[in-house]
Amino acid sequence: MIEAAIAERSCFEDKYDDVVWYALMQPRVERRLAQRPPDMRRGSDHAEVARRILEAVHCEAAKHKMLRERPQLVLAVMDVESAFDPFAVSSAGAVGLMQVMPFWPRQLGLSNKDLIDVALNVRMGTSILAYYLERERGDYRRALARYNGSLGRREYPDLVLDRLNSRWRS
């Protein structure tokens, strides 16, 4: 199931979706990128980084029934997991924007170097999140806890859902 979702597909069937998505979300992502500590900014253009992230998020979320209407959930996960740093590495070894664990690329036919690629990291993380959402029959709290490896605890799901409601609602 995750392998099928990883396959390339086109997105933005309707050009209007593209325009609306970027108009609503780009200023928010740019603002969040600007809030990162200076050592995390890596001197890149916030507008271009935001556009690459948003394109990947919208395209990947559109592939999954459970995320198609809520791509902002992916942004909230990214916000909590990495503060939008594509080079972030956790103490547990998770990497990139969505903090994907290094065992996932091999299971998905990719390599560990793909973990720091914006589009591929978002593809992996979104596919994993969608897998857990389907497994938990749409229960966002349980799926988020599984994503984080904290099933049975509410801190992480509550943090992501709070971030979704406070920063990423359209």
Side-chain angles (χ1 to χ4, degrees), residues 100-120:
V100 176
M101 292 298 287
F103 67 83
W104 279 109
R106 288 185 299 280
Q107 289 187 338
L108 300 172
L110 298 168
S111 72
N112 282 5
K113 70 181 170 108
D114 295 328
L115 288 168
I116 59 169
D117 179 277
V118 168
L120 293 174

Side-chain angles (χ1 to χ4, degrees), residues 151-165:
L151 190 59
R153 296 193 308 266
R154 291 191 55 138
E155 295 84 5
Y156 177 80
D158 287 349
L159 180 59
V160 171
L161 294 173
D162 178 60
R163 198 71 55 94
L164 172 66
N165 291 323

Side-chain angles (χ1 to χ4, degrees), residues 1-10 56 59-68 104 107-108 110 119-120 122-132 134:
M1 176 172 65
I2 293 176
E3 293 85 354
I6 266 270
E8 294 277 349
R9 293 182 208 153
S10 86
C59 290
E60 296 306 323
K63 294 178 184 179
H64 305 283
K65 181 176 76 174
M66 296 285 192
L67 290 170
R68 200 168 289 137
W104 279 109
Q107 289 187 338
L108 300 172
L110 298 168
L120 293 174
V122 172
R123 183 178 299 158
M124 286 183 270
T126 303
S127 296
I128 295 161
L129 180 58
Y131 169 76
Y132 289 137
E134 288 181 23

Side-chain angles (χ1 to χ4, degrees), residues 51-115:
R51 185 148 184 90
R52 286 178 41 225
I53 290 169
L54 288 170
E55 182 176 312
V57 168
H58 191 280
C59 290
E60 296 306 323
K63 294 178 184 179
H64 305 283
K65 181 176 76 174
M66 296 285 192
L67 290 170
R68 200 168 289 137
E69 301 299 319
R70 297 204 57 189
Q72 295 93 326
L73 180 63
V74 178
L75 293 173
V77 167
M78 224 179 270
D79 195 359
V80 168
E81 288 286 349
S82 69
F84 289 90
D85 181 2
F87 303 104
V89 179
S90 76
S91 59
V95 178
L97 290 167
M98 295 197 68
Q99 292 292 276
V100 176
M101 292 298 287
F103 67 83
W104 279 109
R106 288 185 299 280
Q107 289 187 338
L108 300 172
L110 298 168
S111 72
N112 282 5
K113 70 181 170 108
D114 295 328
L115 288 168

Side-chain angles (χ1 to χ4, degrees), residues 26-36:
Q26 185 145 359
R28 297 177 198 186
V29 174
E30 285 182 34
R31 200 169 30 252
R32 186 64 180 107
L33 289 168
Q35 291 172 349
R36 296 184 314 175

